[in-house]
Amino acid sequence: MTPRTALGALHIGALMFGLTGVFGKLAAASPAVIVFGRAVFAVLALTIFARFASSSRWQKLRAQDGRRLLLGGLLLAGHWVSFFIAVKVAGVAIATLGFASFPAFTVLLEGLIFRERIRANEIWLVVLVSIGLVLVTPNFDLASGATTGLLWAVASGLLFSLLSLTNRAGSAHVPPVQAALCQNVVVGLCLLPMAAPQLSDVRPIDWLWIGLLGVFCTGLAHSLFVASLAVIKARTAAVVFAMEPVYGIAMAWWLFDENPTLRMLLGGVVIIAAIVISSQLGGSKKPGVGAQAASH
């Protein structure tokens, strides 16, 4: 990959990640079925990539690697289920913006778990993301479906932040594609008991949306991301992946007539700007937002 093609691959990956909520809404199936199907198709796509395109050698897993991948798979399953619940309850735009809060959680949890000093720009990230979420919230009534959906989306962001930190702790030994494949296997096994009774009722068109979600928004997007990071800096990747909510909201606006309010758009701008500015001001010791986005 040249830097130019790697940058293009990152934008394609960000677009695919942004379509996650769109395919989830198109599929008229429960979140458990969607997540189970996504994991199955993602395992197939990642296996093909690992076999034919990845240059990383797979590592023999130690006991601590197995425990960490199991925990990561459980967190990934919770992250996906809560995200698709948010999509079903509140729509793609609110779910995507609520999930975009995860960098703020990462800053706070990173300081607690890894005992790292929180820098001034990271404090501003937390403050601005919090302001953005307040603006995005349609109203503060828990009886409102939109507010409930936003809370599910924020919970999804929290779980994704924990997943990112779990992956960071094990990234020195297990290659990213191997880790993603193992975690998707865990997701599929976790959701199988809940999804199995419903599988016979899933329509063929819904399997198409779920297949696209697993192959393109998970397997291919992750593979493009990993390949491009060999050429592109993580800081650049962070800026590109900050476009994910923009792509998702634009597609939902076009396909589902989800017209965001001016206040919601302003909140989205604040959240995205906070992520971009923080990634540009951040040091090199921490993985960028884009690096953390590889499993969404």
Side-chain angles (χ1 to χ4, degrees), residues 24 39 176 249:
I249 292 171

Side-chain angles (χ1 to χ4, degrees), residues 49-135:
F49 176 80
R51 174 66 178 83
F52 296 105
S54 178
S55 59
S56 300
R57 295 184 60 184
W58 281 37
Q59 300 297 321
K60 183 178 179 180
L61 297 179
R62 304 165 298 184
Q64 64 191 52
D65 296 325
R67 291 191 295 269
R68 190 174 289 117
L69 290 172
L70 175 60
L71 174 60
L74 294 173
L75 291 170
L76 181 60
H79 155 59
W80 278 350
V81 169
S82 55
F83 178 77
F84 287 119
I85 290 176
V87 169
K88 298 293 186 182
V89 172
V92 177
I94 290 179
T96 303
L97 289 173
F99 162 74
S101 64
F102 81 87
F105 286 120
T106 302
V107 167
L108 296 175
L109 293 172
E110 213 165 25
L112 293 174
I113 296 173
F114 293 102
R115 305 286 185 181
E116 293 179 348
R117 183 175 61 86
I118 300 177
R119 297 187 292 268
N121 64 297
E122 294 170 330
I123 295 174
W124 278 109
L125 169 66
V126 175
V127 172
L128 290 175
V129 167
S130 300
I131 294 173
L133 287 175
V134 170
L135 292 172

Side-chain angles (χ1 to χ4, degrees), residues 45-260:
L46 288 168
T47 299
I48 294 172
F49 176 80
R51 174 66 178 83
F52 296 105
S54 178
S55 59
S56 300
R57 295 184 60 184
W58 281 37
Q59 300 297 321
K60 183 178 179 180
L61 297 179
R62 304 165 298 184
Q64 64 191 52
D65 296 325
R67 291 191 295 269
R68 190 174 289 117
L69 290 172
L70 175 60
L71 174 60
L74 294 173
L75 291 170
L76 181 60
H79 155 59
W80 278 350
V81 169
S82 55
F83 178 77
F84 287 119
I85 290 176
V87 169
K88 298 293 186 182
V89 172
V92 177
I94 290 179
T96 303
L97 289 173
F99 162 74
S101 64
F102 81 87
F105 286 120
T106 302
V107 167
L108 296 175
L109 293 172
E110 213 165 25
L112 293 174
I113 296 173
F114 293 102
R115 305 286 185 181
E116 293 179 348
R117 183 175 61 86
I118 300 177
R119 297 187 292 268
N121 64 297
E122 294 170 330
I123 295 174
W124 278 109
L125 169 66
V126 175
V127 172
L128 290 175
V129 167
S130 300
I131 294 173
L133 287 175
V134 170
L135 292 172
V136 168
T137 305
N139 54 66
F140 294 93
D141 182 5
L142 291 179
S144 166
T147 303
T148 302
L150 180 63
L151 291 176
W152 276 108
V154 172
S156 175
L158 172 60
L159 290 170
F160 186 73
S161 175
L162 291 169
L163 170 64
S164 302
L165 297 179
T166 300
N167 287 341
R168 175 188 171 185
S171 61
H173 184 256
V174 183
V177 174
Q178 182 181 359
L181 196 153
C182 293
Q183 288 173 350
N184 274 277
V185 170
V186 173
V187 172
L189 293 175
C190 286
L191 272 296
L192 179 59
M194 288 178 281
Q198 308 174 52
L199 295 180
S200 60
D201 297 326
V202 181
R203 303 175 304 170
I205 187 63
D206 294 328
W207 280 121
L208 172 63
W209 304 131
I210 294 171
L212 292 174
L213 182 61
V215 173
F216 288 99
C217 300
T218 312
L220 182 57
H222 181 95
S223 302
L224 287 173
F225 173 82
V226 171
S228 62
L229 270 192
V231 181
I232 297 293
K233 293 180 180 179
R235 186 176 297 184
T236 303
V239 177
V240 174
F241 271 85
M243 292 295 294
E244 177 191 335
V246 177
Y247 291 135
I249 292 171
M251 292 301 294
W253 198 341
W254 178 44
L255 292 175
F256 309 124
D257 199 27
E258 287 188 10
N259 297 315

